[in-house]
């Protein structure tokens, strides 16, 4: 099946910052000023696992394909060409062939070819060519990628994989240049995208400038983008309200803060939407006493999920399993299935069982378990961590909060150098292949607590190959149910967040089911 697609017309929805103005009304020039909540660990998207990297650096790169930047809900139907002009499947779906765009230049002037595609995936498929490879599990079904002609690249698959195109469309799937060492991409990245990196100062700012040789004629409209790093969220909100910034960090505004912004800056435009991010509890099951499954189960049973949701999002967050819950998510457990899972019902009954398990493990009111709860040094992590610590007291666990800066935090959890942590896990694409392989497959770098079940891995592979949508749904629901029953990674809630912008910011769409894929900014412009 061959798909030749053109970029879709701008789609205007409630989640959009775009307009229906004619093309002649779009103004060139100006610098878009955006807040940033912390210092990204690096600019190398393939080596990082946080929205702190995806948002400021996606504009440097191109993918083979991309989710249409002006269709709010990412899906297979919203995928459009990027560096590829068309694609086709062959050999019963075991080959995915891309015809590539000619005349594209890297930021340093060198030509883009199919060799760059092959080199990128050689990095991702090799065990030791990147400093770390958080999404290597995405491509466990890819045997190799070959450059069959100067502008043709082929993915050779072990089995047909319907979701692969969606994985390639994510903001986490840029194409890297063959001629630039992977280490250089961390601080001096070279892309083919609409903007080039001008400056990256730790704890200060990230500055992008227009790529005048961008392959899309007339784009970008902006002269540049500046991200200013402001660690304190209250300071960020006050500075946005005062008009010092054009846009908040796109996931920064909580439900309570949104009310304040609307009151103090009524002109501001904001959108509240699903983030595709779950708040969850990770426990290092290789460290004593957490190698005891009774303690891990007790910790999961003490969670009062509704309290988290009520306190943090005034009731707007949602309970769910590993997958984004409906109606916003396509694959998440429906409410009638969710309520049958242990720990999702009567909290007091669950806590009574938890205390029984703790006693069996040797703990009680006169022998309390002492521990640290580690978390990242931003409000969206710290706030739920404080609630978690309070809830652990119900089962005789006394915890203190350990707050860790972003760059160090991810190094620690990748290396399993923690004991208990309150974590947020984002799924870049609402598809089981992303969530299951990345977060739960044996050996995946983002399987932070080393959950490993060979039988479950076989089920992950089975659902990935299933082409019948209904059958795949049933498989995924059973997998998700078993993950929760296994206490693989207790999911506390799925979050909502808003981004706000000044009314003169045009041509940007905030995606409604992922916070990782909508930051190309090539169509953004300032109406002032």
């Amino acid at each position: 099946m061959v798909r030749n697609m053109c970029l879709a017309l701008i789609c205007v929805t409630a989640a959009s910052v775009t307009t229906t103005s004619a093309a002649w009304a779009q103004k060139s020039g100006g610098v878009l000023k955006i807040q940033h909540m912390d210092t990204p660990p690096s600019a190398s998207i393939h080596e990082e696992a946080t929205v702190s990297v995806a948002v400021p650096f996606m504009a440097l790169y191109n993918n083979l394909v991309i989710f249409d930047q002006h269709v709010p809900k990412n899906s297979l139907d919203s995928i459009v060409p990027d560096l590829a002009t068309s694609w086709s499947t062959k050999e019963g779906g075991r080959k995915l062939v891309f015809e590539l765009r000619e005349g594209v230049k890297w930021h340093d002037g060198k030509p883009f070819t199919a060799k760059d595609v092959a080199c990128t995936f050689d990095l991702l498929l090799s065990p030791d060519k990147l400093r770390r490879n958080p999404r290597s599990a995405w491509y466990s079904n890819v045997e190799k990628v070959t450059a069959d002609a100067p502008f043709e690249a082929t993915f050779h698959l072990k089995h047909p994989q319907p979701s692969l195109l969606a994985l390639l469309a994510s903001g986490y799937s840029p194409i890297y240049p063959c001629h630039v060492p992977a280490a250089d991409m961390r601080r001096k990245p070279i892309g083919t995208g609409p903007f080039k990196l001008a400056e990256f100062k730790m704890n200060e700012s990230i500055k992008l400038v227009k790529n005048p040789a961008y392959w899309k004629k007339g784009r970008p409209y902006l002269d540049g983008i500046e991200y200013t790093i402001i660690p304190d969220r209250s300071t960020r909100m006050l500075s946005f309200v005062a008009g010092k910034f054009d846009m908040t960090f796109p996931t920064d505004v909580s439900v309570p803060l949104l009310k304040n912004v609307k009151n103090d800056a009524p002109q501001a435009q904001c959108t509240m939407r699903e983030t595709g991010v779950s708040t969850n509890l990770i426990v290092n099951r290789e460290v004593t006493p957490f190698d005891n499954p009774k303690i891990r189960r007790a910790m999961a049973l003490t969670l009062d999920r509704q309290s988290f949701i009520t306190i943090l999002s005034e009731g707007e967050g949602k309970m769910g399993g590993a997958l984004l819950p409906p109606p916003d998510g396509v694959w998440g457990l429906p409410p009638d299935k969710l309520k049958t899972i242990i720990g999702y019902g009567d909290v007091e009954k669950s806590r009574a069982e938890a205390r029984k398990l703790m006693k069996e493990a040797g703990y009680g009111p006169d022998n309390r378990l002492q521990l640290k709860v580690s978390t990242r040094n931003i409000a969206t992590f710290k706030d739920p961590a404080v609630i978690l610590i309070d809830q652990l007291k119900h089962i005789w666990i006394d915890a203190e909060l350990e707050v860790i800066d972003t760059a160090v935090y991810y190094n620690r959890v990748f290396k399993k150098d923690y004991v208990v942590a309150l974590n947020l896990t984002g799924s870049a694409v609402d598809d089981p292949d992303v969530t299951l392989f990345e977060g739960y497959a044996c050996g995946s770098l983002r399987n932070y607590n080393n959950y490993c079940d060979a039988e479950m891995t076989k089920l992950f592979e089975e659902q990935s190959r299933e082409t019948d949508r209904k059958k795949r749904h049933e498989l995924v629901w059973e997998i998700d149910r078993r993950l929760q029953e296994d206490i693989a990674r207790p999911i506390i809630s799925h979050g909502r967040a808003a981004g706000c912008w000044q009314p003169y910011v045009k041509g940007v769409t905030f995606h409604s089911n992922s916070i990782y894929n909508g930051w190309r900014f090539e169509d953004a412009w300032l109406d002032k």
Side-chain angles (χ1 to χ4, degrees):
M1 177 181 68
V2 179
R3 293 185 69 173
N4 292 292
M5 303 178 68
C6 298
L7 288 170
L9 293 174
I10 290 174
C11 177
V12 183
T13 75
S16 180
V17 195
T18 187
T19 100
T20 54
S21 302
W24 57 264
Q26 294 160 342
K27 299 177 182 177
S28 295
V31 175
L32 180 65
K33 296 182 178 181
I34 305 177
Q35 301 172 338
H36 202 301
M37 56 190 177
D38 63 356
T39 298
S42 80
S44 178
I45 287 179
H46 281 308
E47 294 184 304
E48 307 298 349
T50 168
V51 72
S52 292
V53 173
V55 170
F57 297 117
M58 184 177 167
L60 302 180
Y61 303 106
N62 288 107
N63 296 12
L64 288 170
V65 294
I66 191 171
F67 290 110
D68 190 317
Q69 296 292 278
H70 300 295
V71 175
K73 192 162 188 175
N74 300 163
S75 71
L76 286 171
D77 293 334
S78 70
I79 294 173
V80 295
D82 206 23
L83 289 175
T85 57
S86 65
W87 52 93
S88 60
T89 56
K90 296 180 179 179
E91 295 187 8
R94 292 187 60 195
K95 284 187 178 181
L96 181 58
V97 182
F98 291 92
E99 301 301 324
L100 305 178
R101 197 174 302 279
E102 299 185 35
V104 176
K105 302 288 185 182
W106 293 99
H107 290 159
D108 58 7
K110 295 186 183 298
F112 158 77
T113 72
K115 288 183 179 179
D116 297 302
V117 179
C119 283
T120 297
F121 284 90
D122 182 54
L123 288 175
L124 293 171
L125 297 175
S126 300
D128 55 2
K129 291 192 175 182
L130 293 172
R131 176 182 56 178
R132 57 177 174 244
N133 193 349
R135 285 168 297 281
S136 62
W138 284 20
Y139 303 110
S140 57
N141 186 44
V142 180
E143 289 185 332
K144 61 182 178 178
V145 176
T146 56
D148 303 322
F151 297 98
E152 181 180 287
T154 300
F155 284 67
H156 302 259
L157 310 181
K158 301 171 188 174
H159 308 281
Q161 185 179 6
S163 71
L164 180 59
L165 204 64
L167 275 57
L168 297 175
S170 166
Y172 272 137
S173 303
I175 300 301
Y176 276 16
C178 265
H179 64 280
V180 178
D184 290 355
M185 297 296 283
R186 298 168 197 157
R187 287 289 177 263
K188 299 178 180 178
I190 297 293
T192 57
F195 295 91
K196 302 189 291 184
L197 181 64
E199 184 178 89
F200 182 7
K201 288 187 176 181
M202 303 289 283
N203 301 314
E204 292 186 24
S205 64
I206 301 156
K207 295 181 180 179
L208 312 183
V209 295
K210 179 177 184 174
N211 175 12
Y214 189 45
W215 53 271
K216 286 188 182 180
K217 293 189 182 299
R219 301 292 194 280
Y221 297 114
L222 297 169
D223 289 333
I225 306 172
E226 291 184 3
Y227 294 89
T228 301
I229 298 165
I230 306 174
D232 183 74
R233 185 159 67 175
S234 296
T235 303
R236 293 196 298 273
M237 294 302 104
L238 289 171
S239 60
F240 174 77
V241 166
K244 295 180 181 179
F245 289 91
D246 305 319
M247 187 180 290
T248 67
F249 192 78
T251 63
D252 204 22
V253 185
S254 65
V255 173
L257 284 174
L258 182 57
K259 295 178 181 179
N260 295 338
V261 171
K262 286 183 175 179
N263 182 65
D264 297 336
Q267 82 286 354
Q269 309 295 301
C270 302
T271 177
M272 180 66 67
R273 79 278 190 210
E274 300 302 314
T275 60
V277 176
S278 71
T279 300
N280 52 82
L281 172 66
I282 55 175
V283 179
N284 191 334
R285 57 184 62 207
E286 297 177 2
V287 176
T288 303
F290 303 100
D291 54 350
N292 186 339
K294 290 182 179 180
I295 293 178
R296 299 197 303 269
R297 190 171 187 83
M299 294 174 72
L301 288 172
T302 197
L303 297 173
D304 181 351
R305 292 171 170 83
Q306 189 56 53
S307 289
F308 280 91
I309 292 168
T310 299
I311 295 168
L312 297 174
S313 66
E314 298 184 356
E316 290 200 24
K318 292 180 181 176
M319 291 189 203
L323 282 300
L324 183 65
D328 303 283
V330 173
W331 301 99
L333 284 163
D336 63 321
K337 293 183 180 294
L338 189 67
K339 68 183 181 183
T340 66
I341 297 173
I342 189 166
Y344 282 81
D346 187 322
V347 173
E348 290 309 314
K349 182 179 179 181
S350 293
R351 284 179 174 168
E353 182 180 343
R355 286 188 285 269
K356 180 181 177 183
L357 291 168
M358 290 295 287
K359 283 184 177 179
E360 291 174 2
Y363 295 94
D366 299 322
N367 183 31
R368 302 176 72 89
L369 177 57
Q370 309 291 322
L371 59 83
K372 287 183 179 180
V373 171
S374 304
T375 202
R376 184 178 165 193
N377 190 24
I378 59 174
T380 49
F381 282 64
K382 290 187 294 184
D383 292 348
V386 171
I387 299 171
L388 173 65
I389 288 172
D390 182 65
Q391 293 190 5
L392 289 174
K393 293 177 182 177
H394 290 275
I395 58 169
W396 310 308
I397 296 177
D398 295 328
E400 61 176 291
L401 185 62
E402 180 185 32
V403 176
I404 305 169
D405 286 341
T406 293
V408 178
Y409 175 78
Y410 282 103
N411 281 332
R412 294 257 309 257
V413 295
F414 282 137
K415 295 175 181 177
K416 314 299 186 286
D417 181 18
Y418 75 97
V419 178
V420 173
L422 187 288
N423 187 57
L424 270 67
T425 301
S427 192
V429 180
D430 182 26
D431 188 273
D433 280 6
V434 171
T435 302
L436 301 181
F437 287 109
E438 184 179 338
Y440 299 93
C442 301
S444 170
L445 191 62
R446 293 202 74 197
N447 183 351
Y448 295 140
N449 53 350
N450 276 344
Y451 171 83
C452 182
D453 185 311
E455 183 181 346
M456 291 294 283
T457 299
K458 289 180 181 178
L459 290 176
F460 299 168
E461 294 168 349
E462 182 180 348
Q463 66 78 30
S464 179
R465 297 193 292 267
E466 181 56 66
T467 57
D468 184 291
R469 183 72 168 263
K470 185 177 179 181
K471 289 181 180 178
R472 192 181 184 208
H473 255 124
E474 293 294 338
L475 269 171
V476 169
W477 287 339
E478 175 60 16
I479 290 168
D480 204 347
R481 183 194 66 78
R482 288 178 60 174
L483 288 173
Q484 306 321 309
E485 294 281 0
D486 286 352
I487 317 297
R489 179 189 292 188
I491 306 298
I492 296 171
S493 65
H494 289 262
R496 289 170 62 80
C500 296
W501 61 93
Q502 306 294 354
Y504 53 77
V505 177
K506 310 292 184 181
V508 182
T509 299
F510 282 34
H511 292 178
S512 64
N513 60 343
S514 176
I515 59 175
Y516 301 95
N517 306 328
W519 314 118
R520 181 64 61 77
F521 288 117
E522 63 190 15
D523 297 318
W525 58 285
L526 302 177
D527 190 17
K528 66 174 184 177

